[in-house]
Amino acid sequence: MVGAGGFIGSHLVPALLERFACQVDAVDVDLTKLECWDPRVRRIEARVEAPGLVEDVTERCQVVISLTALCNPAQYSTIPLEVIDASFTHLLPLVKRCAERAVRLIHFSTAEVYGRTALDGQGLPTARMHEDDSCFLLGPVGRERWTYSCAKQLLERVIWAHGQHGALPFTIIRPFNTIGARMDFLPGIDGEGTPRVLACFMSALLRGEPLPLVGGGAQRRAFMDVSDMVEAVCRVLERPKQSRGQIFNIGNPDNNVSIAELARLLADAFAERLPERAPAQFRAVSAAEFYGPGYDDTQERIPDVQKAQRLLGWKPQRRLATSLPPIVHDYVERYGARVAAASSLSQLASSA
Ligand code: UGA
């Protein structure tokens, strides 16, 4: 598993060990989040483009799961070349070698490939995004938001070509706003920059700051609990025939909420966990102010998951009302003390 130290990887590794009689080569530049010390895991701290890495994993492993990417929208318009390298260039040798050796590849792409809105096969507006029918709608090149989408789409096309015209046994997964414990980072605590919305909101709640609603927060996302993602990947592993050469949307259409609603739900779960805290506040912020130039957005992103249901027997299970309280609990436990220490340090510095 390349990218095993990321958010999804850190949930997937222990789940695979529990479910399958397997060994895992867990590769990542940083394995801190992988809180799993099972002897069946070989922890390899390396970049995917490190010399010899691709040779090694494709020789040793029956299945390669590729999860590496720079997947925060704030990065698409600030470090686009790194985003293209991480999502495309650095993964090309891995895909090529898997194809040459006919090693099964389960590749994580993104819901971002669909772009601004859901379109049907004729390019007309529709409600849900469909793996095998939807057209893609990206903004102009100057809107660097779409750098990532475009790079991920091109790698999907490379993988597809190796499968259609070569011997690559592949499955592509397009995750839709997966959330859970250990997602991204908290700025100033264990990372710098702007993480995705869940971590942004948790950071604001823990610091007692208003939750920033970009453009007012009317845009919508269908959020899925990471446990549903883990189950989907297990089903893919268990069904090599049904999943070969397939692209799957993995998301939860029943958890489609506006960003303002997500903020409210998180604030409520936070208030339940820490009732002594002052009530959360919200503030509208423009996209240009929050992300800088080059940002663009998707107003709604709902997956059609019927194909996963049909071929994998998979259906997302967890609703937001049950997902959010344990996520909030984990953030409070993991970060509460560190955020409090950082805030009192900065108060000391400003009063000095
Ligand atoms: C991102 C990635 O680009 C996708 O590749 C990935 O599939 C997806 O996350 C995911 O998590 O699956 P996006 O949904 O736009 O896409 O990412 P977020 O950063 O989580 O933003 C969601 C929405 O919340 C956006 O409209 C954003 O403007 C808004 N937002 C974000 C706020 O209103 N406040 C914040 O503090 C942060």
Side-chain angles (χ1 to χ4, degrees):
M1 187 183 303
V2 293
F7 158 52
I8 293 179
S10 73
H11 287 268
L12 207 44
V13 171
L16 296 186
L17 295 174
E18 207 180 302
R19 180 100 153 223
F20 303 106
C22 66
Q23 295 182 348
V24 179
D25 278 8
V27 182
D28 208 305
V29 270
D30 182 356
L31 288 164
T32 318
K33 283 188 186 179
L34 185 61
E35 296 157 353
C36 169
W37 302 99
D38 191 295
R40 290 177 291 160
V41 178
R42 187 171 166 234
R43 297 171 78 97
I44 305 170
E45 285 209 0
R47 305 190 67 83
V48 65
E49 69 273 24
L53 192 276
V54 163
E55 275 308 301
D56 193 26
V57 295
T58 53
E59 193 176 275
R60 279 172 53 84
C61 302
Q62 281 176 282
V63 183
V64 170
I65 302 179
S66 74
L67 283 152
T68 54
L70 288 178
C71 57
N72 291 341
Q75 298 168 317
Y76 309 161
S77 47
T78 50
I79 48 166
L81 294 174
E82 284 91 329
V83 167
I84 292 171
D85 280 344
S87 313
F88 179 73
T89 326
H90 292 159
L91 291 171
L92 272 179
L94 177 69
V95 172
K96 189 161 177 260
R97 207 67 183 113
C98 284
E100 286 164 355
R101 293 187 155 155
V103 171
R104 191 171 174 212
L105 174 66
I106 300 175
H107 175 68
F108 273 70
S109 184
T110 173
E112 189 97 358
V113 293
Y114 294 103
R116 277 183 177 161
T117 190
L119 299 178
D120 67 12
Q122 278 68 51
L124 298 170
T126 185
R128 295 188 180 194
M129 293 157 167
H130 190 275
E131 301 94 331
D132 302 321
D133 295 334
S134 285
C135 293
F136 299 154
L137 181 70
L138 309 189
V141 170
R143 290 279 178 175
E144 291 185 305
R145 161 64 190 252
W146 305 112
T147 306
Y148 173 71
S149 168
C150 196
K152 294 289 267 190
Q153 187 200 143
L154 186 55
L155 195 67
E156 281 199 20
R157 292 188 186 275
V158 169
I159 293 170
W160 183 271
H162 276 297
Q164 288 293 309
H165 306 280
L168 178 64
F170 76 86
T171 302
I172 290 172
I173 290 175
R174 291 185 185 151
F176 280 66
N177 292 85
T178 308
I179 55 170
R182 301 190 292 278
M183 188 173 184
D184 294 342
F185 57 90
L186 290 206
I189 304 293
D190 58 352
E192 292 306 329
T194 307
R196 282 171 291 180
V197 66
L198 177 85
C200 283
F201 286 171
M202 288 314 305
S203 173
L205 286 166
L206 286 163
R207 292 186 154 94
E209 293 170 358
L211 281 66
L213 303 177
V214 174
Q219 65 278 37
R220 303 176 73 81
R221 295 291 187 274
F223 291 96
M224 185 183 69
D225 192 271
V226 68
S227 61
D228 282 320
M229 172 57 77
V230 164
E231 182 59 30
V233 178
C234 290
R235 301 279 175 114
V236 167
L237 280 162
E238 284 167 350
R239 291 167 171 75
K241 274 205 194 94
Q242 293 93 324
S243 60
R244 184 172 176 155
Q246 299 293 346
I247 302 174
F248 291 108
N249 285 342
I250 300 296
N252 191 336
D254 296 333
N255 283 337
N256 180 31
V257 293
S258 73
I259 296 302
E261 284 170 299
L262 175 76
R264 183 77 265 162
L265 291 168
L266 278 171
D268 289 348
F270 189 75
E272 286 246 317
R273 177 68 179 72
L274 295 177
E276 67 280 10
R277 290 289 195 99
Q281 297 197 332
F282 308 90
R283 105 187 136 93
V285 53
S286 75
E289 194 188 325
F290 195 77
Y291 289 109
Y295 183 71
D296 201 352
D297 207 355
T298 300
Q299 287 314 307
E300 186 161 61
R301 183 192 275 161
I302 312 177
D304 182 322
V305 292
Q306 291 181 64
K307 183 173 164 185
Q309 197 171 345
R310 188 163 39 85
L311 294 181
L312 305 174
W314 173 88
K315 215 175 164 222
Q317 302 296 329
R318 294 195 78 177
R319 301 302 303 268
L320 278 182
T322 45
S323 289
L324 295 184
I327 295 175
V328 167
H329 179 79
D330 184 86
Y331 271 84
V332 169
E333 294 292 305
R334 193 175 294 276
Y335 290 109
R338 280 190 280 171
V339 170
S343 321
S344 46
L345 264 183
S346 72
Q347 269 169 15
L348 268 180
S350 61
S351 62

